[in-house]
Amino acid sequence: MNFPSKALVFLSLTLPFASPPAAALEETPALTLEQIMADTDWLGNAPENSFWGADNKTVYYQQKRQGSSLLDLFAVDSESGSISPVAESEWSQWFHTSITYNLAGDRRAYVYAGDIYLVDAGGTRQITRTAAVESEPMFMSDGRRVAFKRDGQMFVHDPANGLTAQVTDIRFSDDPGKKEDFDVLKSHQQRIFSTLQKLKNDKEEARQRDESLYGLDDGLPATPVYMGDKLQSEGQSLSPSGRWALLVTGTKEEDSGRKDSMPNYVTDSGYVEIETVRTLVGRKAGAAHTAWLIDLNNGEKHELDLGGLPGLDEDPLKDIRRQSIEIFVAEGEDREAAEKRLEAPETRSVQIWDVLWSADGEQPMLYIRAVDNKDRWIASVDFAQHKVVSQHRISDEAWVNPYHREHGWLRDNRTMWFLSEDHGYLGIYTKSVDQKNSKALVAGKYVVKNPVLSPSGKYIYYEANVSHPGIYEIYRVDVKSGDIQQMTNLGGINSVKVSPDESRLLITHSEINRHDELFVMDNQPQAGVRQLTDTMSEAFKSIDWINPDIVEIPSSHSDDPIYSKIYLPRDHDPSKTYPAVMFVHGAGYTQN
């Protein structure tokens, strides 16, 4: 990555809470190692999975039950602060996941227990009640119909007439109308026996009639699209207009490499049990993807040409290949065999991680990554030429950050927004599909995280560590003017959820010695903040925790320091030498 080294250190810096009174400290029992390693219930359980209710007033959240792994649902009035549990019998009405809104903001759809629900002026309605799992609800471009996924196919529900229609029928088998390979014996049989020939003709005539009816009768389901038996689905996306589907496929025969085994010694049976776990790192690359544009009006499919992605014909691993060949030859392998085994592919493999359509359904936005992790592309589609068009590329000789990859469309349906490190730090960029270059919307000597477009589309709200690498406040940027406003000044780490009518902000706030709690504020810069939850236990609050010092360590790779935390004993004497426990994060793993 291109982050300066100070951005690679993860920490949480806050304004410390006042210490408890001396009398309380005297009553505090000694903190033992046994207590430290006990179930974390004794600390209190933080609120999880919070979201706004449709009334723009009520906030819902889950909380782990004491002594159990179950989560309970609670509702808190953001004005009065009163908290009440939600009965499980009412969860289907209030417990939302995968919440989505239409552009007008007057309808929402959500998933509960694998079924789809719709909320509008008429109240809450359950759209599906099936044993199948429905997911990924979205509103069509008319703002009325709701699409969702079931068993790998897309369905659309129209609340005006109550009809739920299957709009894709993608089958991973051979087309029954596909011309068979010539077979001498079969040809002789049909030529000699006229009955066999007539049966064949009747079957073909019936098949052609059935196929033609799909295009003639709107009362029939979607036209079947046959992909052959060598491919498998890696996901599909329906355009909000209902005209197109974009299908991502991989090959069924793809070898993911030999998986490793791990012994589990603490088991119910009392015997050592062996678990099969993932393939070892570096032993096998990810499976390559292909993309298909499907016209749902006639069932025609076209494989999208990915060749226009810049750098796809390069070999970023050539130096590593060359070094590896020399190592294997030195170990006794035949040079020609080693060179053949490590030969670079003509074209690098890619995976399509996400497809987002503009609200009008006219253009998809593809998030594409090279399997070798050295490139990331944002791309659109040329419908006439059936190819992808690169809109933005990130390339890194080490690896491209797979996280912090939020992206989307602005309300003009022509402008993409996404996170990029073009200026050396993570920022927000925009790019019109009609323009050559992208431009920075939010870019500074700080890191931007978790951007989200507001319901109105006027602002993008985000977290950023502008004042200090360990402090993430909430900001918003006007997508038209580029004006930036700081919304919070709380210290610590903050994340935000905007109410549906954009009148309030729900803030999840944590500090260096306090876990996540929920706060609410009016949607105005620096508005007063009201705390909604206080889930820390009294036992936790009674302990006089040591707040670490934040120290700057000179970097050997950058002019900026590396920030870290250090916990010193209360009687620390700088003139003395002490043993230390050091925590280092590197190479994607934790080392102590």
Side-chain angles (χ1 to χ4, degrees), residues 190-325:
Q190 292 173 356
R191 181 164 53 86
I192 295 172
F193 298 101
S194 59
T195 302
L196 293 179
Q197 182 62 50
K198 186 176 186 308
L199 288 174
K200 178 187 176 184
N201 292 341
D202 289 347
K203 183 178 179 181
E204 177 62 18
E205 187 178 31
R207 188 197 64 77
Q208 291 181 2
R209 162 66 69 82
D210 289 344
E211 188 175 275
S212 66
L213 285 176
Y214 283 106
L216 297 173
D217 191 347
D218 292 337
L220 293 176
T223 304
V225 177
Y226 296 92
M227 302 302 300
D229 60 2
K230 301 295 190 295
L231 299 177
Q232 63 185 11
S233 175
E234 298 293 344
Q236 64 171 289
S237 180
L238 176 68
S239 72
S241 65
R243 169 71 186 277
W244 307 97
L246 200 149
L247 174 68
V248 179
T249 62
T251 57
K252 288 182 179 178
E253 290 77 17
E254 179 67 32
D255 179 14
S256 60
R258 175 182 170 183
K259 295 185 180 296
D260 202 7
S261 300
M262 179 183 73
N264 187 3
Y265 297 97
V266 182
T267 63
D268 290 337
S269 66
Y271 293 88
V272 176
E273 297 176 3
I274 303 299
E275 297 181 18
T276 300
V277 294
R278 64 169 171 77
T279 305
L280 293 178
V281 173
R283 300 306 299 169
K284 185 65 179 179
H289 288 172
T290 52
W292 304 79
L293 187 65
I294 300 175
D295 189 336
L296 297 180
N297 283 352
N298 54 30
E300 291 183 359
K301 66 179 186 290
H302 302 277
E303 183 177 355
L304 293 178
D305 180 6
L306 302 174
L309 297 176
L312 205 61
D313 57 351
E314 299 172 0
D315 181 19
L317 303 177
K318 60 182 179 182
D319 290 339
I320 296 177
R321 295 182 198 278
R322 185 166 53 249
Q323 294 169 10
S324 298
I325 289 171

Side-chain angles (χ1 to χ4, degrees), residues 409-427:
W409 290 93
L410 298 184
R411 292 291 185 257
D412 63 3
N413 295 309
R414 304 300 298 169
T415 306
M416 303 170 166
W417 66 265
F418 48 86
L419 288 173
S420 178
E421 304 170 11
D422 286 359
H423 66 290
Y425 287 73
L426 200 60

Side-chain angles (χ1 to χ4, degrees), residues 146-166:
V146 179
F148 57 89
K149 184 177 290 186
R150 175 198 294 162
D151 295 330
Q153 307 294 348
M154 297 302 300
F155 294 75
V156 174
H157 173 79
D158 190 341
N161 56 26
L163 178 67
T164 298
Q166 182 175 337

Side-chain angles (χ1 to χ4, degrees), residues 424-445:
Y425 287 73
L426 200 60
I428 303 174
Y429 287 75
T430 60
K431 168 72 167 61
S432 171
V433 293
D434 304 319
Q435 296 176 345
K436 182 177 181 180
N437 298 318
S438 61
K439 67 176 184 179
L441 185 64
V442 179
K445 202 174 180 180

